[in-house]
Amino acid sequence: MEKEKMKDFAVIVAEAQRGELVFPTSVNAALSLQLCLADPACHDEDVIKKLLAEPVLAARAVALANSAVFRSNGAALATSVRTAVMRLGYRNLYSLAAAMVVRQFGARIIDPGLRAQAEQLWRYSAHVAALAYVIAQRITRVDADTALFAGIMHEVGGFYLLGRADTMPGLLDDRDDWLGAAQEIIAREIMKKLQVPEPVALAIVSLRGGAIGIPPQGLRDTLLLARELSPVQSPLPSRDDPGLTRSTALLQYLNEPATAALLEEAAAQAKSMSAALLV
């Protein structure tokens, strides 16, 4: 059985390395929006038309524009896609489209257990992305839009493997090193296909087994801290030892009054933001 599982993993990894990743047809609208947003000649009217052509994306854009992070200083409630586009900007809309792409990897899963894991993985990813955005703004001072995008993408390999496990029973039953390695290779190939910028991809693949610096700095630490603080846990196996992750230095840092106050505010804002991503 173990030998068969290793064979299955080898097949999936080999397919990924050959670029034979098949995306669900349901992501076409999101990929089309991403291409439009990445085009220097893209105009607001083009973006609005593409959003209106995909009701789910349109609804999420409006919900995100009304989250606490983006609706600050008493801004009026966004009631249209046009207002959402103006408020969010192209980079956050790009992240929103990426969120739909990632989530759709698990949309075709039939097995109830695997489908439940995919839903939990999406809730976890949404919380990590939202926390990363606020932590970037208030603590690590990295680009917040980049942190949001990285948070959404950081478990893309896990989503893909959950989808493949639906046709390969028992693939993810054992919590072993192979899963982590396979996730990393597959994530690299998916991010390459989605043209994820290299600095973001490098930060994501370096998360496995990583320890948070004190004080946290850079995109990698931003993601690690967001994962550590997420109220929803990933359903996928992890080789990380929680005892090592929560070092004495980290615990002291998290309990410092100034840091604790910032994190409490970040958690409140992230809760609103993650709810919008989960619409």
Side-chain angles (χ1 to χ4, degrees), residues 87-132:
R87 188 174 295 175
L88 294 173
Y90 284 11
R91 292 179 67 194
N92 288 315
L93 286 168
Y94 191 95
S95 292
L96 194 66
M100 185 171 180
V101 171
V102 172
R103 194 174 189 183
Q104 286 302 311
F105 278 117
R108 297 178 298 176
I109 295 175
I110 297 172
D111 180 89
L114 291 172
R115 193 171 185 84
Q117 287 187 68
E119 284 302 311
Q120 184 178 339
L121 187 60
W122 176 244
R123 290 195 301 274
Y124 164 74
S125 297
H127 280 285
V128 169
L131 279 163

Side-chain angles (χ1 to χ4, degrees), residues 13-84:
V13 169
E15 288 174 351
Q17 290 175 323
R18 290 195 300 268
E20 297 174 359
L21 296 163
V22 180
F23 287 6
T25 55
S26 54
V27 308
N28 287 340
L31 290 173
S32 175
L33 176 60
Q34 284 186 307
L35 285 173
C36 179
L37 292 166
D39 185 349
C42 179
H43 295 291
D44 290 348
E45 294 303 320
D46 300 323
V47 175
I48 291 167
K49 285 178 184 176
K50 288 189 178 295
L51 279 169
L52 289 173
E54 178 48 63
V56 174
L57 263 175
R60 287 196 183 132
V62 173
L64 188 60
N66 285 322
S67 66
V69 174
F70 293 105
R71 190 188 173 200
S72 57
N73 301 321
L77 190 71
T79 57
S80 69
V81 168
R82 183 177 299 277
T83 303

Side-chain angles (χ1 to χ4, degrees), residues 175-242:
R175 303 187 167 215
D176 52 28
D177 283 318
W178 243 99
L179 175 59
Q183 277 180 267
E184 184 176 315
I185 294 169
I186 290 165
R188 278 184 178 275
E189 296 305 318
I190 294 175
M191 288 190 290
K192 189 184 298 181
K193 190 163 185 177
L194 292 176
Q195 298 182 345
V196 173
E198 188 64 16
V200 175
L202 285 174
I204 289 172
V205 298
S206 68
L207 291 174
R208 187 167 172 252
I212 303 169
I214 307 297
Q217 296 178 341
L219 182 58
R220 177 174 171 273
D221 279 359
T222 300
L223 291 173
L224 285 171
L225 185 55
R227 297 202 314 175
E228 178 72 12
L229 298 174
S230 174
V232 178
Q233 298 303 304
S234 170
L236 295 179
S238 172
R239 298 296 296 178
D240 299 339
D241 180 353

Side-chain angles (χ1 to χ4, degrees), residues 242-266:
L244 292 176
T245 303
R246 286 220 165 201
S247 64
T248 302
L250 176 60
L251 287 170
Q252 288 176 342
Y253 174 77
L254 295 178
N255 290 323
E256 289 175 3
T259 303
L262 277 175
L263 292 175
E264 186 177 354
E265 184 180 354

Side-chain angles (χ1 to χ4, degrees), residues 162-173:
L162 282 170
R164 294 305 302 271
D166 198 43
T167 57
M168 295 179 172
L171 181 71
L172 303 180
D173 284 352

